[in-house]
């Protein structure tokens, strides 16, 4: 319900102004994407909200090398984007369609999702396997790999995210994901997200992220290395799934036990990899 | 969908638009807090952080001095009267173990204090400024802990009454038997035994509990409240506050669901007292988190069933032992326990030996209360699982085993008389039972014989089918009373005044249909006023599946009395004897072919000659509780790699007698079954080692959504209950009992494991599959 | 602060706290059709159309809604003429307690404005953020199908 501690909502006219106001107020200020996470989780120390609406940060654009999703783009807008529908066979769109509910997808923005980086996020692992970069602004414009951004972020202290950039060249990649939930409208007990390029009976490139452990998704380069360059074999897939499960940092929480999460990781990694392989059989 | 005979009704049996539907689809202000009164205070409750503690001291001075705070209530300034919060008929069969505010707290979230302030945020802030010194006490956090020798005593107060043995935390003890089960088991060819456990689950009505209290211009307290039991609220609030009952008026407007959690006086006493002390309106509503923590829940139970049968499948002995966790207060503890046996054992009435026994015990945990199914839900899990196991042992088809044993029309069960609502029951003979037809239809629709035992595989998924049967009741015989008043208007319309409580079930509509049927008018000519203790006659309220059967019969009787008065006025007009008159199409029709409109009749009675108000009140106390019956069939798919189960297809076939409003009756079944599926698969209140609810939100307490719906078919078979209004029985509760045993039996068919603990989460199923 | 909202076609200036949600503002303004079921975006009872999209009004800061167009359930009917969804909900028996109904109608209205011929799966998806405890969803899904038929000009069965 109402955030009684919030005194001001500022609508800056430029990105520079937005950043300046953030510097002025420090941790007492939060950037506002769709606002969901601010309404639900902003602590009482937050008194100023800086709305990033109106800064032309919405929309999906495409150039020769990149697809750029403006940080204020909602999940629904991304789902409806023809550009994203073509990208990596619509992989990101498929992931987005399963997130939360349509009511929330109409509000939730990419920037907000990254800013809050909830450990149950299904969007973040998809962006990790797509090797997304973030165009950010923290006084100057720069780009940073998504993984780096996640490792370095502190709650409430993020730079302004301008856009999420997806490298083209993943066109021939095939993706599969499994977000294991209790009911249809739920956050995952575990999620597994895979993107791979296969050719000549071998794994040319494999990217695997496992999340909801209950920690935030991470790339499993150890498992990827087991597969890349190797011929595609059922035993190899099974072995990779076992490695994935053995080494995840799984914990008990209100949704599942660590042991069960390990079991799920193994089953779901195996299934995602098989799905990618079988998908080529058309 | 329904297979029904056309019984020649004009209004009954038709699915017309609900009488209150228009306001609901247009968002009109019909719910408790949809009306605004000036000067309304917001009330918030401070809940205990401890599962069990004494309040050593409580200092509210800082809270009181916060600007905007008008009133603070604690045990030091409120009436100490012990009462029950259970909305049951007087004398309530629940212990008087609750105080408005006590000097001891008994579960995390128990009432400590209440603040009334000018704004909700001020009240919330003031709660933080109440200084409480607690002496923490050792807590009992499970049934077993509560029963242990030397366990901490949850209710050690001297002035509580109605507790079976408070020193041992036993709220209720029930033990009845028929014949001699010990010998019965010895005489049996096969004996199976199973113990099942059900969890803390919650009703989660989409509207949390809420009450608005205010003084009317004559200084009477008006409680506009989201309740299933307006008359019990009036009585219990009067008793608790020590004020005359006639100074209180309780009005139930539209409410957003109840399912039993609103068969309780949860908030009204506090709101009423705030209004009495401040003379201002008071709005008290629970947040969703508070609803999870401090409203009411299902009684978690451990229930053991032992069945002894002859080789030919006839049951020879049935034993059911139930241990019920009734939480920190004993509301509904005895009656839910008793219902666990009284609504299950009579189904298999021909077993000459039966024994039901059990106890309800206190724990320092959230408080269970009334919840749709009311013990039967917990009882059918082991009973129908044991029947499935018995069928396997005897190599008899589970359907055939039920067919050989279930009660039939014309039969009785000795359990009816031995076990009722906490005391003895009432003997009865079942007069309508279409369970055999229900089973036949359901088996056909699920494809039972084509699917049972095949275990078809599709990757990691294996399929199976399961079934179960059940009965419930229709009202509480010799205890429930309902009344209805009908008065006539000079345009030929009628006002129907009923105490009966529509919680979304559509009782306003179906009771109006019944009246319209008797009076020969269209539904729109019956104007309903319900659930206002000043205006409508008494009704126990919406529970025990009583409204159609009990309130409906009161309406029939009132309508018949009014009809007779109409005939007395019309007879001379039509120059016809009263016996040759009938009502149809808004007119009185005589055997001689003459007719007179009802408007004309009423005008004559109101204005012209021997004037009197055509009106009547009638009451009904049932002498029996004719059971509805339900056959459930489910096809499930189990993922053997993750343990996930999907309910693919669920068929529920019911005998509810005549369905007064088929779509509303189907809706009751559909809603209760989907609720039951959640209860079977995903719903669980998780408690910390200190008794705190860890998941008090929909985020982590998962109820079914639209995406979780199986292919759901509900069928109402043709049936007629001769003692029921227009042939009706009831349908409100029975559906929720189906999913747990049906899905458990289907899982066994698929993967050969018996699930004995709800919910059947994927984690639990995987562990069962792997023998862990 | 003062915000401007066009609610069901009428533009108003309203005062709102900086941290208030759209749900709180709407209810205070008398739009009783917008319900509070959880306050945390989990139940959908508070759904409204904001700039043509169904959203949880409990998750929308009033400041974010400023300048926008809001449609509540009170705005679905055209005077006396109910929206086909409202008609269908009444005819199909899809309304029990009615508390989730406004939110359901809003989600369904959003769906039908974009997909005039939704499949059953698409309807379930559109309603997936609206929890109901009374009905088991079956008749609500049927009602959306019937409304879609009517809106396409199809015959009633």
């Amino acid at each position: 319900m109402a955030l009684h501690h919030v005194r001001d909502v500022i609508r800056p006219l430029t990105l520079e102004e937005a950043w300046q106001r953030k510097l002025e107020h420090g941790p007492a200020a939060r950037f506002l994407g769709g606002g969901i996470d601010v309404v639900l989780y902003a602590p009482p120390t937050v008194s100023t909200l800086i709305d990033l609406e109106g800064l032309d940060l919405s929309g999906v654009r495409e150039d020769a090398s990149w697809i750029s999703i403006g940080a204020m783009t909602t999940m629904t807008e991304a789902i409806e984007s023809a550009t994203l529908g073509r990208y990596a066979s619509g992989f990101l769109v498929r992931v987005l369609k399963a997130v939360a509910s349509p009511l929330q997808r109409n509000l939730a923005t990419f920037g907000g999702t990254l800013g809050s980086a909830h450990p149950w996020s299904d969007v973040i692992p998809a962006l990790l396997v797509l090797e997304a970069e973030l165009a950010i602004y923290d006084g100057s414009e720069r780009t940073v790999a998504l993984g780096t951004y996640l490792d370095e972020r502190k709650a409430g202290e993020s730079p302004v995210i301008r856009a999420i950039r997806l490298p083209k060249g993943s066109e021939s990649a095939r993706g599969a994901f499994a977000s294991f939930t209790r009911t249809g409208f739920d956050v995952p007990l575990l999620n597994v997200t895979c993107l791979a390029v296969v050719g000549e009976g071998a794994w040319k490139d494999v990217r695997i992220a496992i999340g909801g452990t209950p920690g935030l998704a991470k790339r499993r380069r150890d498992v990827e290395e087991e597969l890349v360059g190797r011929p595609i074999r059922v035993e190899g897939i099974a072995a990779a799934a076992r490695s994935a499960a053995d080494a995840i940092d799984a914990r008990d929480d209100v949704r599942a036990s660590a042991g069960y999460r390990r079991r799920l990781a193994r089953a779901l990694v195996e299934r995602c990899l098989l799905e990618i392989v079988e998908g080529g059989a058309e | 969908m329904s297979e029904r005979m056309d019984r020649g009704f004009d209004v009954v049996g038709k699915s017309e638009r609900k009488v209150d539907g228009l306001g609901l689809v247009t968002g009109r202000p019909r719910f408790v807090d949809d009306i605004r009164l000036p000067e309304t205070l917001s009330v918030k409750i401070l809940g205990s952080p401890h599962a069990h503690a004494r309040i050593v001291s409580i200092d509210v001075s800082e809270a009181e001095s916060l600007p905007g705070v008008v009133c603070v209530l604690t045990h030091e300034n409120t009436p100490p009267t012990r009462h029950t919060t259970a909305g049951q008929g007087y004398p309530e069969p629940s212990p008087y173990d609750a105080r408005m505010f006590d000097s001891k707290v008994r579960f995390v979230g128990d009432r400590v204090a209440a603040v009334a302030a000018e704004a909700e945020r001020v009240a919330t802030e003031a709660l933080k400024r109440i200084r409480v010194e607690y002496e923490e006490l050792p807590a009992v956090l499970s049934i077993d802990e509560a029963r242990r020798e030397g366990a901490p005593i949850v209710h050690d107060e001297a002035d509580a009454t109605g507790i079976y043995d408070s020193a041992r935390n036993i709220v209720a003890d029930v033990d009845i038997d028929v014949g001699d089960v010990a010998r019965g088991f010895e005489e049996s060819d096969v004996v199976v035994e199973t113990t099942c456990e059900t969890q803390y689950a919650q009703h989660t009505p989409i509207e949390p509990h809420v009450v608005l209290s205010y003084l009317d211009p004559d200084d009477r307290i008006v409680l506009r409240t989201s309740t299933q039991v307006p008359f019990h609220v009036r009585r219990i609030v009067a008793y608790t506050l020590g004020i005359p009952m006639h100074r209180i008026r309780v009005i139930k407007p539209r409410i957003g669901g109840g399912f039993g959690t609103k068969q309780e006086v949860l908030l009204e006493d506090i709101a009423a007292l705030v209004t009495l002390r401040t003379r201002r309106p008071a709005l008290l509503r629970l947040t969703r988190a508070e609803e999870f923590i401090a409203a009411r829940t299902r009684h978690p139970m451990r229930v053991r069933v032992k069945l002894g049968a002859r080789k030919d499948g006839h049951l020879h002995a049935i034993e059911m032992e139930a241990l019920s966790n009734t939480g920190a207060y004993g509301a509904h503890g005895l009656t839910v326990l008793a219902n666990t046996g009284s609504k299950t054992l009579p189904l298999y009435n021909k077993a000459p030996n039966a024994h039901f026994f059990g106890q309800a015990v206190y724990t320092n945990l959230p408080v269970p209360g009334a919840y749709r199914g009311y013990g039967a839900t917990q009882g059918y899990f082991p009973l129908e699982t044991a029947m499935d196991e018995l069928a396997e042992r005897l190599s008899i088809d589970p359907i055939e085993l039920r067919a050989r044993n279930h009660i039939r029309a014309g039969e009785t069960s000795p359990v009816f008389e031995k076990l009722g609502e906490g005391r003895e029951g009432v003997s009865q003979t079942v007069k309508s039972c279409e369970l055999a037809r229900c089973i036949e239809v359901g088996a056909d629709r699920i494809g039972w014989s084509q699917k049972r035992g095949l275990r078809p595989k599709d990757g990691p998924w294996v399929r199976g089918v399961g079934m179960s049967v059940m009965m419930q009741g229709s009202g509480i015989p010799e205890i429930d009373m309902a009344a209805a008043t009908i008065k006539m208007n000079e345009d030929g319309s009628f006002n129907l005044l009923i105490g009966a409580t529509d919680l979304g079930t559509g009782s306003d509509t179906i009771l109006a249909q019944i009246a319209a049927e008797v009076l020969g008018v269209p539904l729109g000519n019956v104007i309903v006023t319900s659930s206002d203790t000043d205006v409508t006659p008494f009704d126990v309220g919406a529970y025990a599946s009583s409204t159609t059967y009990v309130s409906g019969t009161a309406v029939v009787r009132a309508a018949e009395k009014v009809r007779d008065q109409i005939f007395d006025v019309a007879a001379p007009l039509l120059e016809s004897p009263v016996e040759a008159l009938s009502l149809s199409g808004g007119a009185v029709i005589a055997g001689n072919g003459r007719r007179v409109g009802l408007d004309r009749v009423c005008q004559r009675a109101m204005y012209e000659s021997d004037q009197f108000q055509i009106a009547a009140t009638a009451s009904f106390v049932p002498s029996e509780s004719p059971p509805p019956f339900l056959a459930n069939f489910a096809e499930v798919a189990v993922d053997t790699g993750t343990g996930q189960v999907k309910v693919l297809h669920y068929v529920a076939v019911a005998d509810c007698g005549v369905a007064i409003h088929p779509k509303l009756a189907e809706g009751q079944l559909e809603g209760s079954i989907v609720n039951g599926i959640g209860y079977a698969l995903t719903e669980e209140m998780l408690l910390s080692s200190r008794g705190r609810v860890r998941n008090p939100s929909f985020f982590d307490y998962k109820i079914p959504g639209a995406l979780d719906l199986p292919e759901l078919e509900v069928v109402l078979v043709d049936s007629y209950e001769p003692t029921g209004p227009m042939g009706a029985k009831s349908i409100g509760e029975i559906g929720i009992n189906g999913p747990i045993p049906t899905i458990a039996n289907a899982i066994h068919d698929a993967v050969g494991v018996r699930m004995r603990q709800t919910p059947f989460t994927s984690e639990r199923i995987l562990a069962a599959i792997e023998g862990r | 602060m003062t915000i401007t909202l066009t609610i069901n076609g009428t533009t108003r200036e309203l005062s709102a706290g900086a941290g208030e949600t759209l749900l709180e503002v709407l209810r205070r303004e008398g739009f009783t059709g917008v319900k509070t079921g959880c306050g945390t975006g989990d139940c959908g009872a508070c759904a409204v159309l904001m700039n043509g999209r169904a959203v949880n009004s409990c998750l929308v800061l009033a400041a974010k809604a400023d300048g926008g167009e809001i449609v509540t359930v009170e705005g679905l009917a055209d005077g006396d003429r109910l929206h086909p969804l409202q008609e269908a909900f009444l005819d199909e028996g899809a309304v029990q307690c009615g508390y989730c109904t406004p939110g359901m109608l809003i989600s369904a209205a959003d769906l039908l404005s974009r997909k005039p011929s939704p499949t059953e799966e698409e309807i379930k998806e559109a309603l997936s953020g609206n929890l109901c405890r009374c009905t088991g969803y079956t008749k609500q899904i049927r009602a959306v199908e019937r409304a879609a038929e009517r809106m396409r000009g199809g015959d009633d069965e």
Side-chain angles (χ1 to χ4, degrees), chain A residues 182 184 255 257 260 263 271, chain B residues 639 642 700 708 762-763 770:
Chain A
R182 294 159 293 188
R255 294 175 202 122
S257 70
Y260 184 63
R263 300 300 310 278
R271 291 177 191 188
Chain B
D639 181 332
T642 65
D700 278 314
D708 305 302
S762 49
E763 188 165 345
E770 295 176 347

Side-chain angles (χ1 to χ4, degrees), chain B residues 621-648:
Chain B
V621 176
S623 58
E624 55 201 288
S625 178
F629 293 93
L630 183 67
N632 307 269
F633 292 81
E635 183 179 6
V636 304
V638 181
D639 181 332
T640 51
T642 65
Q644 188 177 29
V645 63
K646 286 202 169 103
V647 182
L648 301 173

Side-chain angles (χ1 to χ4, degrees), chain B residues 15-18 20-22 24-29 31 33-34 36 202-208 254-257 259 288 371-372 503-505 663-664 666-668 670-672 674-675 683 697-699 701 703-707 709-710 712, chain C residues 27-40 42-43 45 73-74 76-77 82 86-93 95-102 105 121 123-125 127-128 130-139 141 146 150:
Chain B
S15 293
E16 305 215 21
R17 290 186 173 189
K18 288 175 80 183
D20 55 338
L22 181 63
L24 294 173
V25 297
T26 52
R28 305 293 281 278
F31 294 85
D33 66 346
D34 285 346
R36 281 290 123 86
Q202 235 221 13
H203 322 61
T204 73
I206 306 300
E207 182 205 41
R254 292 303 88 176
I255 71 172
F259 319 106
R288 181 56 61 182
Y371 189 168
R372 206 172 199 178
L503 42 154
T505 44
K663 284 198 167 141
L664 286 179
E666 288 165 8
Q668 286 299 298
E670 287 157 355
S672 56
V674 173
N675 187 337
E683 297 184 34
S697 81
F698 287 123
F699 199 74
Y701 182 92
I703 75 172
L707 288 174
L709 206 55
L712 176 57
Chain C
R27 281 197 65 84
R28 188 170 54 244
E29 290 302 309
F31 292 94
T32 52
V34 191
K35 305 287 182 209
T36 308
C38 70
T40 51
D42 297 313
C43 76
V73 72
E74 289 97 331
L76 285 183
L82 293 179
Q86 291 168 312
E87 302 269 10
F89 266 59
L90 289 174
D91 289 335
E92 291 300 318
V95 183
Q96 286 189 33
C97 81
Y99 203 74
C100 77
T101 300
L105 290 169
E121 269 316 298
I123 295 173
K124 287 180 177 177
E125 182 60 55
L127 301 182
S128 62
N130 294 89
L131 295 180
C132 175
R133 206 47 157 166
C134 293
T135 68
Y137 308 101
T138 308
K139 292 186 179 343
I141 293 166
R146 289 294 292 270
R150 284 190 197 150

Side-chain angles (χ1 to χ4, degrees), chain B residues 604-627:
Chain B
R604 182 167 177 82
M606 211 169 260
Y607 296 113
E608 292 173 17
S609 165
D610 293 314
Q611 293 93 311
F612 75 107
Q613 166 72 63
I614 296 177
T617 296
S619 310
F620 179 59
V621 176
S623 58
E624 55 201 288
S625 178

Side-chain angles (χ1 to χ4, degrees), chain B residues 42-121:
Chain B
S42 285
V43 184
K44 297 292 294 181
I45 298 176
L46 179 65
S48 164
H50 303 297
H52 200 196
R54 260 182 235 293
I55 296 177
V56 173
S57 71
I58 181 162
D59 177 359
V60 302
S61 52
E62 210 188 311
E64 276 174 335
S65 62
L66 190 64
V69 170
V70 175
C71 171
V72 180
L73 303 176
T74 70
H75 73 97
E76 291 179 348
N77 65 352
T78 54
T81 321
R82 292 259 166 222
H83 59 280
T84 179
T85 59
Q88 300 172 304
Y90 180 81
E92 303 90 343
S94 295
Y96 280 28
D97 60 1
R99 270 183 65 171
M100 252 187 99
F101 295 94
D102 208 336
S103 56
K104 190 178 175 205
V105 289
R106 298 180 180 79
F107 72 100
V108 176
D110 200 358
R111 290 180 180 183
V112 173
V115 171
E118 303 286 354
E120 200 172 325
R121 54 181 281 210

Side-chain angles (χ1 to χ4, degrees), chain A residues 2-4 6-9 49, chain B residues 121, chain C residues 1-5 7 12-29 57 60-67:
Chain A
L3 304 171
H4 299 298
V6 167
R7 300 262 160 259
D8 280 302
V9 181
L49 301 176
Chain B
R121 54 181 281 210
Chain C
M1 64 178 184
T2 307
I3 61 172
T4 304
L5 295 177
I7 305 172
R12 312 167 183 226
E13 281 202 353
L14 304 168
S15 78
E20 270 200 305
T21 63
L22 179 60
L23 169 61
E24 290 164 315
V25 171
L26 288 173
R27 281 197 65 84
R28 188 170 54 244
E29 290 302 309
S57 61
V60 176
L61 285 164
K64 291 285 303 185
D66 189 11

